[in-house]
Amino acid sequence: MSNHSGGETFIKRTLEQLASSKEGKKLPLLLSSARLAQVALDRKDSDIGTMRTIFQPFKIACQSHQASLATTAVDCLGKLFTFNYWARFSGGLEATDEIVQAAIFSTPNQNQSNLAAPSRNDPRKSSTSNNSDNSTDPFDTDGIEDAFVTETSAISGVIVNAICDSFTPPAPGSADDEIDEKLQLQIVKALLCAVSSSPTATTFKGVVLMRAIKTTFNIFLLAHSQTTQMLAQTSLQQMVQALFGKFLPPEPVAAKIARNNSGVLLDSPQNSTALVSPLQTGTRNSVVQKYETESGVGSVKITQSQDGSSVIIENLTEIQEKKKKDPVVQGYRNLHLVFRTFCKLSMKPIPGTDMHGTDLRSPYMRSKLLTLHLLNMILTSHLAVLLVPTPLLFSSVTMKQFLCLALSRNTASIVPQVFDISIEIFGKCLIGLRSAMKKELSVIFTEIIIPIAEARATTSITFHQRKSLLKSLLRILTDPNANGGRVLVEIYLNYDCDLEATAQENIWERLITILSMSIQENNNAPANSVAGGVQTFTINSGLSYSNGPPSLTTHSLFTYTKDQIRELHATIGDHNEIKRRSLELLVQGILKPLVSWVFQKADADAKMTGESSTGGSEKDHSDSSLGLLKDSENLTSRNTDDPAQFQNLKHRKQVLIEGVKRFNVKPKKGMQYLLDSGCIPSRTQKDIALFLLHTEGLNKTMIGEFLGEGDEENIAIMHAFIDEMDFSHMPFVTALRTFLQSFRLPGESQKIDRFMLKFAGRYVQGNPTSFSSADTAYVLAYSVIMLNTDQHNAQVKKRMTKTEFLKNNRGIDEGKDISPEILETIFDEIQTNEIVMKEEHHIKIAAAAGTSSRDSSAALHSRKGTSEAMATKTEALFNNLNKTNKRTISASPLPDAPQEQGRQHQFIRASHFEHVKPMFSLIWMAILASISTPLQDSEDSGMIAIALEGFKYAAKIVCLFDLSVERKSFLSTLAKTTCVSSLYDLKSKHVESIACLLDIASASGNCIGENWTDVVSAICQLEKIQQLTAEVANQKNLDAKTRQNSLKKETRLLNEDAITSALCQSMTLKVDRVFGSSANLNGPAISEFVKAMCAASWEEITNSSVASEYPRMYCLQRLVEMSYYNMKRIRVEWSGLWVILGDHFNQVGCHSNSQVSFFALDKLRQLAMKFLELEELPNFKFQKDFLKPFDFILANNKDVKIKDMCLTCLQQMIQAKGAIMKSGWKAMLGAFMSAAKESHDQILTLSFDIVKSIFKNHFENIVANLAFPDFLACIVQFCKNKKNEKTGLQAIELLRQSISRIPEISKTAAGTKILQNTAAPTEKIIVEILSGSPVAMLILNGMEKTVTVSSQSNNTTPVASSQQDLSGSSIEEIYFKFWFPVFHSLYLVIMTCELEVRTRALNHLFDALKIHGATFSHDSWEIVANGVLFPIFDDLKSSKPESGGNTDNKFANRDELNVWVNTTMIQVLKQFIELFGQYLDDLLFCVDGIFDLLVVCMTQENETLARIGSTCLQQFIAANFQKIDNDLWEKFCSIFQHLFKVTTPEALFFDYRAEMPQEPLGVIAPPESDDAEAEFTNSQFDSPPVSNVYNSSNAVPDITGKPKPLKKDFPGIITNCILHLLIIQTLQEVLAAGANDAVYRSLSSKNLFSLIDCLERSYQFAKAFNEDMNLRMALYKMGFMKTLPNLLKQETSSVSTYIGILIKMYSDPSQERQGTRLEIEKRLIPLSYSILVDYNNLDPETKKRNVASWKPVVVTILNALIDFNETQFKTHIPAFYNEALNLLLHDVSADIRLVMHSLLVRTGLVFGITGMETEEKGTKDTCNSEKAEILPESMGKFEAKRVEQGDVLQESRVDLSF
């Protein structure tokens, strides 16, 4: 009530002022009404009468045309609005028609100016309408209020009308004083109060509101006072703020809209629903869809029941009646009217001359500028209001259309102020309304924005337009609230990836390409036309209006001068300005927002995965009542922009564009490409026709050419093409226009004829009553085309008249005439409206506009024509788009149909940052070219800074998405800018490029991969600059004055700024940051970084060391720092890292420059000391890997000083870190092993001293860390060093002591635990060392047994060998696991070292085995035998020819082997045999191996070795025969069988009968005068010898088909002969060994028979050879032997031994031998007799050698006869007697004579021939003594000396010499 009281006080005071004023007293009606009002006020009534009475005096005062009265009244009315006084009368105003007619709809003052009339661009008017409609009032509601005229009239509307009536615009030409400034101010204030202070419940009707705004607008335009103008402008702004501010959604909704950037899909039907506002409550059961038509509001409502079962169409009038009283409906309608009015005002053209377009003070220009700024303000501050999904706001088709047309008209303007604010509005649409204006924005982009951006100096686009556009776009995209990155991504998704969009709509790709071309463009533009050719810029463009509209008063604006007008229309300007603006837009406006959005989205997505959905659901619940985007819709949106799907769409679109390009060049090839690529689903005529009809971008001329071809397929496609068109219910000319819009008619008449025939048929098919037949339509169509050409072709001078046209078409309807009215209508339409392609229509309009004005210059004219053409074409596209939308809506009777149509044009919202990857891949080359051009060509620091910023952003993108090719290109290009060949070429941009590259490395180091090389090169370049600068500054050998002059001269040459930048602290910090942050790099990145640093370090050292003794080692020092930083990485990464670093230290440590090597070693030592402090877990080898470079340097650096330093470093590490060292021992010992190979005593001695100290102080640590095998390997290497035998002997001693040190460790519990824990792993290491050898398998088998036994005893699962629990094993078994490596090391020494060293090793080995062998298990002995003992003889075995000549042995050549055999083998065999005898029971398993070894020895070509083997075999049998069982004797016999077999020279026998060799030249065969021999030889074929009856069939090989021996075979044959004799002798001696023939007696008869069978076969073999004279002659004639070959020695030796054993067995009285006597007799007697016969047949003269050889055998036989017992003698002497007597026929030697004497005496005694016993006794004694003297010769005495064997072998060698 207080407001009402205050209002009454103001009213009374004002009434008194009106009544007392001078002008008031002259108006009686005013005085009377004032008195009545006073009375009404006193009554305090609230009825309508009281309100009328009170308001009447104010109305009279406002209409009195008295400024003072009107000023007072208006002031009071305005204050009453502030107090909301009139609200008390609102309740009584219902249905008062008088007030409605008299107040609200009273005719306004007709004298008001019509400046704000709408343009011809009203969307409800035709785009081709003339300017005749310019008189239409833009503030007119256009009938929108008609449906609401009967609504309740608010009192505020009556008052506003009265206030507006008080303003009387000055008449044209009136004086300034006729306009009362105070009244204007009061009117503006009052209207502002009325509009801004009225609540929503009393909202104005549209007409009243429009009049209030119009009045304020006219005051702004017509007032002369700057204050009034400013107040009016401000009031309009506040009115707009108040109107739209009342309908702002709640803050959460507005925030969501801002966050989602027009998140509501306004063009989708689901959002175009019934009115929904924050002020409405309740739920709706149906969806109301309203569509505005050209006449206003549609007349139907489409509803669908909740269950979707029925669709109801109702009259909207009923709905409107229900909404009459809804103030919210009226409020939204008012907003719609205000927005539309501003759009219409902004579209008004500037009338009059061209100067009005450049006079900013003119009312027309001010009107345009103000309305554009108000539109911008609405879009800026109240976007959320427009986005409320109601058809009255932005989801209205007309509202968007008005805004688009306003943009199309003004964005093409050449006036900077208009152009700038228009682009600002475009930016607001792009940022906030892009989802609602998808197609509209595409038109603006393709027809205005991009053409202006890609314009060049030779085009009609002004320089200011280009520059302003670039500045504005930059400002739009960099707005913090714009989320420019998302905008760009959505542009790409909705246009570049839209299959329905043409190549022209690839906005993202085109925009980047255009900017790139602008940046790279060369300044070849023509000189400016201004005087002097110098362009001076005085006009500002591209201004920002983010702080609100500027002052638009006449005092703040100006009129362009002539020079400024020229500048305004100039197409050229500062070329570098355009380049700079383009670069700024590309980098700061595109790349920067894109990168910002990508990383924000990536971070948000990462956080989203860890957040719960509870908070989000609660947050969005508040938005559900407003119909905005819900979570479900948001999720749907996220699913619709799947990156993979859009990448596929983009690929398909690129293929389609390529197909369109090819079609537009060559239609047939292009069509084939489209079919092959799948752009056209199939080759059917319908699919091809649909593609040609609906695909954008196809050249209409090429379509006509393709369809006009005469091929059957093309004709069929043409028919299908036309069949897809519907001409039903369409006028003929309209149908023909539609038909000809789809293609361009070809020029050939036949093709045109085919088209017209098909068109006529199709038209008549859709309009059957139009013509009698299709022929009529065909002829008429031809006639219309000819008419169109006649009327509009400039080359036709005499045009056809209407009469002529009618005459030409007489009788074409099957003889009848077509109605003249129809033909006249056709003629008039063609005459006034040419049939022309839509694409050419705007060109013709522009051409017409270009020739309409004759009073302007050509340049201005061209600019105006270009802008007009651009605007006209854009408007036409908007109107076509509008019509398409309306047709789509009107053609959809059901709700589902528009929904499906809406989905096709749905705006895709970006929710995945992965879209940026294909976006960038598409345009990265253009970006690279753009940002690299300034670095190469420009010296502008600003452009260079922007370009480098672009490199940073591009690097972030390529690194984030791992675009390897792009990353390499960008970073390598940037790196090229950092390189300078000389300090004098250094520029600031080089230093800035280095800094940029360092920043990229710091920010994206994990992703730059191989480009770390470029970063390192830049760092090296920076260091090189610093070094060169120091060299220049520190010149020597100059006096002060000369040096000063020199420095001055150099200072002039050097770029001091660049050098200062390179040497500044910030640059140093950048470099340090790169290295310091290396600890944060991931594994692959740090590896690449280190690789690059190592490569740079090596290059730095090698290049600088050539010219300097002290090379640069900057990178090496940095590598050491990096190692410190990264040393605490996880071990896996560090291991990979150290592989690279270690190799580099290896390389540097072996450099020829000792300074480099010393530096590397020192740094390596420091790193090692630091690294050894880090704890190493068991079973890891990081220390070992880290210390490997020391080993490499020791092995490969030839400098003794470096080697000494290396050893010193290792010694220091052992002293300092030996207690904590683990796997490092392996590397240490490996290094000492390398040192052990040195020939320098200094290095050798130092290294061995270190090893001795390790053995003394750290032996237990070595064992605990599994380095014991490495220690042994190191010791062995010292033993192998032949330069210092003393060291080798000391090393052998360490090996010996190692055996005893193992038990010493176990004396403590900790030591025992160490042995138990490390025994199995140590054994595993040995297995790895011996991998592939039999002993390795034995050890593995033993380990498996241990695991199995342990698991069985503990009932646990077996574990790996390296984890064996040996706590249950005996200590001796554990000892052996450490002893075996020592034994193996001794074995290596035996095989490879010098004589004294290996001799001592041999003794130590067998001593240890003999001492500790008693503790060995069977498995241990197997390991020792197969791993140590038998391998000693491997080289011996491999040297045999039958082994294949294996060269894999430990001796360099055969001479070394022979020396080793002759010096060491004898001792080894002897020691082995002794060891075998000592532990026979334990080593019995290896008896086969021993026998095989002896066989190998006895079959060697080396005679000495063969004899050694023979001797060892004899010793073994003699020493151990008592322990040998029968099985072992059988093996013994099998050995001899094998020896006899392998040494038999069977190659002597060959098939000489097949090919008898010819006698070689110079070879004479011995004479055949030896008749006895010839007879003996011949007799062997006549009758077989007696011996053949015995088992000798296998002795003589079959010669049938056997090839003859070659020359290379004879050395082997001779060797076999010699060895065979040795085997015979060995067998003889073995059987004679032992006291009283102990060995012989140990053998069973079976074994003896197997042995004598060998002798018998040997005898038969030799005999057969000796008797085959032809074979011997054949061998002789081969020329390889000087004498005739024979095997006489073998024959006699074998038979002698054979007979001797038989005689011994025959006379053996043992029971076993007695059982075999018969078999012995069968062998002995016939053989002996045969020998006697053969001996008697020898010719003593010619066969002296044979006689001498056989004589001992004969003596042996005779002595055996003599020794037979009486029974045996009586039985066999008769057979021998004659042959014995025949011996006397020859010259008898003493031995034969004596034995004959004894035989005859024995015969006499046995047969009683001699009677005296004494004589017999004496004779017998004599015979016995003689026999005793003869036997050593006849039997050869088994114990004969070895020298005789040498004679025998020598004799045999002579016999078979070649």
Side-chain angles (χ1 to χ4, degrees), residues 291 353 460 501 504 526 687 692 729 759 819 850 859 1349 1427 1533 1618 1665 1765:
Y291 302 99
T353 63
S460 299
Q504 189 180 11
D687 286 341
L692 295 176
H729 311 294
F759 167 73
S819 172
V1349 172
C1533 295
I1618 298 172
F1665 178 79
N1765 59 35

Side-chain angles (χ1 to χ4, degrees), residues 666-739:
K666 293 185 178 181
K668 286 189 175 180
K669 292 185 177 180
M671 182 59 65
Q672 187 61 45
Y673 176 84
L674 291 167
L675 289 168
D676 295 340
S677 60
C679 296
I680 301 176
S682 66
R683 202 179 180 88
T684 60
Q685 292 85 359
K686 182 176 181 181
D687 286 341
I688 297 176
L690 288 173
F691 180 83
L692 295 176
L693 185 62
H694 299 295
T695 302
E696 296 287 343
L698 293 175
N699 189 295
K700 300 297 180 67
T701 302
M702 291 302 173
I703 296 176
E705 292 293 335
F706 179 78
L707 296 176
E709 292 293 332
D711 298 339
E712 293 183 2
E713 184 180 14
N714 292 72
I715 294 174
I717 294 172
M718 184 264 290
H719 288 176
F721 181 81
I722 299 176
D723 287 339
E724 293 298 325
M725 301 181 187
D726 186 12
F727 304 125
S728 301
H729 311 294
M730 193 178 292
F732 185 79
V733 175
T734 304
L736 186 60
R737 288 181 187 274
T738 304
F739 174 63

Side-chain angles (χ1 to χ4, degrees), residues 910-1206:
S911 59
H912 295 85
F913 67 90
E914 292 84 356
H915 292 301
V916 177
K917 181 178 181 180
M919 287 177 63
F920 195 81
S921 299
L922 188 66
I923 46 84
W924 70 271
M925 296 182 70
I927 293 179
L928 177 59
S930 302
I931 60 180
S932 61
T933 299
L935 296 182
Q936 298 172 1
D937 304 335
S938 177
E939 300 297 332
D940 185 353
S941 59
M943 289 192 66
I944 291 172
I946 298 173
L948 293 176
E949 186 180 1
F951 272 105
K952 293 180 182 179
Y953 294 135
K956 288 184 178 181
I957 294 177
V958 298
C959 290
L960 176 64
F961 296 107
D962 194 23
L963 301 173
S964 58
V965 175
E966 291 84 345
R967 184 198 69 236
K968 293 177 183 177
S969 301
F970 276 97
L971 297 186
S972 60
T973 302
L974 179 60
K976 292 178 182 178
T977 315
T978 65
C979 300
V980 291
S981 58
S982 172
L983 185 62
Y984 299 97
D985 298 330
L986 181 66
K987 299 178 181 179
S988 296
K989 65 180 180 181
H990 298 135
V991 181
E992 293 174 6
S993 299
I994 294 175
C996 177
L997 197 57
L998 295 178
D999 290 338
I1000 292 173
S1002 298
S1004 306
N1006 285 332
C1007 307
I1008 63 177
E1010 301 89 348
N1011 291 102
W1012 273 110
T1013 303
D1014 299 324
V1015 177
V1016 172
S1017 298
I1019 294 174
C1020 294
Q1021 189 69 30
L1022 188 64
E1023 192 273 337
K1024 184 179 179 181
I1025 293 172
Q1026 296 174 351
Q1027 184 181 20
L1028 293 175
T1029 305
E1031 292 178 359
V1032 172
N1034 296 322
Q1035 294 183 14
K1036 298 180 180 181
N1037 300 324
L1038 292 173
D1039 57 23
K1041 182 176 181 180
T1042 304
R1043 182 161 53 252
Q1044 183 178 2
N1045 294 334
S1046 177
L1047 288 176
K1048 287 182 179 179
K1049 181 178 180 181
E1050 289 166 0
T1051 303
R1052 289 194 299 268
L1053 295 175
L1054 295 176
N1055 189 327
E1056 294 183 355
D1057 294 337
I1059 294 176
T1060 302
S1061 300
L1063 301 179
C1064 67
Q1065 185 178 4
S1066 61
M1067 188 66 71
T1068 304
L1069 292 176
K1070 288 180 183 292
V1071 176
D1072 292 341
R1073 190 182 303 116
V1074 171
F1075 289 104
S1077 62
S1078 64
N1080 301 324
L1081 298 177
N1082 57 30
I1086 188 63
S1087 297
E1088 293 293 339
F1089 191 9
V1090 171
K1091 285 180 184 177
M1093 285 295 296
C1094 291
S1097 173
W1098 182 248
E1099 182 180 3
E1100 181 183 65
I1101 291 171
T1102 53
N1103 292 340
S1104 60
S1105 61
V1106 175
S1108 174
E1109 182 181 357
Y1110 299 95
R1112 296 165 52 209
M1113 287 179 284
Y1114 173 78
C1115 291
L1116 184 59
Q1117 176 63 38
R1118 286 293 189 177
L1119 274 173
V1120 175
E1121 296 176 10
M1122 288 178 61
S1123 301
Y1124 277 114
Y1125 296 146
N1126 293 273
M1127 196 172 289
K1128 294 185 179 180
R1129 281 182 175 270
I1130 60 175
R1131 296 297 92 182
V1132 175
E1133 289 184 357
W1134 173 254
S1135 297
L1137 199 61
W1138 187 251
V1139 170
I1140 305 169
L1141 287 169
D1143 290 342
H1144 183 62
F1145 275 108
N1146 292 343
Q1147 194 177 28
V1148 177
C1150 297
H1151 195 271
S1152 57
N1153 191 321
S1154 59
Q1155 297 294 332
V1156 175
S1157 299
F1158 276 119
F1159 183 82
L1161 272 177
D1162 183 61
K1163 298 302 178 182
L1164 187 60
R1165 177 190 60 81
Q1166 296 175 18
L1167 288 175
M1169 288 290 192
K1170 185 70 174 179
F1171 184 80
L1172 290 176
E1173 294 176 359
L1174 303 177
E1175 182 181 2
E1176 184 181 61
L1177 297 177
N1179 301 322
F1180 286 91
K1181 57 174 185 175
F1182 302 119
Q1183 293 181 357
K1184 174 186 174 182
D1185 295 338
F1186 195 95
L1187 297 177
K1188 276 185 178 180
F1190 290 100
D1191 181 15
F1192 186 89
I1193 295 172
L1194 269 172
N1196 296 276
N1197 197 316
K1198 299 180 181 179
D1199 193 336
V1200 178
K1201 294 181 179 179
I1202 300 298
K1203 294 177 183 289
D1204 184 79
M1205 181 181 177
C1206 189

Side-chain angles (χ1 to χ4, degrees), residues 247 336 557 566 568 590 608 672 1133 1322 1443 1448 1709 1721:
F247 294 91
H336 175 86
L557 299 177
R566 291 194 191 96
L568 198 64
I590 294 178
M608 187 181 301
Q672 187 61 45
E1133 289 184 357
T1322 302
S1443 67
D1448 185 15
E1721 187 175 308

Side-chain angles (χ1 to χ4, degrees), residues 15 18 102 170 258 530 742 846 918 1005 1178 1195 1269 1352 1435 1488 1623 1627 1634 1683 1691:
L15 291 176
L18 293 175
V530 297
S742 58
Q1352 291 176 352
D1435 291 325
D1488 292 339
I1623 299 304
L1627 179 58
T1683 60
E1691 183 180 6

Side-chain angles (χ1 to χ4, degrees), residues 799-866:
R799 304 189 184 278
M800 186 186 302
T801 63
K802 186 181 296 185
T803 304
E804 292 173 343
F805 179 71
L806 295 175
K807 181 179 179 182
N808 292 338
N809 290 282
R810 289 177 183 173
I812 64 174
D813 190 10
E814 294 185 353
K816 297 182 292 184
D817 293 340
I818 300 177
S819 172
E821 290 79 6
I822 295 177
L823 293 178
E824 288 177 357
T825 302
I826 292 174
F827 183 88
D828 292 339
E829 183 175 353
I830 296 298
Q831 188 180 37
T832 57
N833 190 5
E834 178 187 4
I835 298 177
V836 65
M837 305 293 292
K838 292 180 180 179
E839 293 81 359
E840 300 174 356
H841 183 69
H842 69 281
I843 299 177
K844 293 183 176 291
I845 294 177
T851 56
S852 62
S853 300
R854 303 295 182 183
D855 57 342
S856 300
S857 64
L860 185 149
H861 214 260
S862 175
R863 309 299 170 273
K864 183 177 179 180
T866 301

